[in-house]
Amino acid sequence: MSPPKYVDLLILAAALAVFLLGGLPMLGYAVGAAAWLAQRGIQTLATRRANAELAAGNRQKAMGIVAATTLGRVWLMATVVLLVGLAEREAGLASAVLVLALFTVSFAAGGIAHLFSEPEAGKA
């Protein structure tokens, strides 16, 4: 388990304390956290499947899996934040800020992890 890849989950846990101490809407946290964890699960499954396709020599299928699940994950989070925002405005804003912060941290951590990872054999 590489810490940079999972730092977003640590931020998600720390955000619970911020929501509780700051008196922010817990509905926003619950919905944002659920959407984030769901998209992380989808990402993990998609990565495994794409790696299996790459190992089998199916580059186009692997790229299709990555592209489709990336778009699907974004739509999932956006739809969930929109729906909670329609139900309760403050909870929607809190959820949107949480998801945005998690995405930013996850994106940066993934880039840093990739930057410092060892190159695989046969790749330049």
Side-chain angles (χ1 to χ4, degrees):
M1 186 163 140
S2 174
K5 291 182 183 177
Y6 298 98
V7 72
D8 60 320
L9 298 178
L10 295 173
I11 299 296
L12 180 61
L16 179 59
V18 172
F19 270 72
L20 288 171
L21 294 174
L24 298 169
M26 289 308 296
L27 176 63
Y29 177 82
V31 169
W36 188 258
L37 293 173
Q39 73 86 23
R40 281 292 300 226
I42 293 167
Q43 178 186 23
T44 301
L45 294 174
T47 300
R48 288 181 188 163
R49 185 146 180 235
N51 287 339
E53 292 296 336
L54 282 174
N58 299 327
R59 294 183 115 190
Q60 286 183 328
K61 192 166 186 178
M63 289 305 295
I65 290 168
V66 170
T69 57
T70 299
L71 289 173
R73 289 173 22 229
V74 170
W75 275 98
L76 169 72
M77 290 186 297
T79 302
V80 167
V81 168
L82 175 66
L83 291 175
V84 75
L86 291 174
E88 187 179 320
R89 188 179 187 108
E90 291 81 19
L93 177 61
S95 181
V97 170
L98 175 63
V99 168
L100 178 65
L102 291 169
F103 175 78
T104 302
V105 168
S106 177
F107 188 71
I112 290 170
H114 181 72
L115 209 104
F116 291 110
S117 68
E118 294 291 324
E120 294 180 22
K123 291 186 179 179

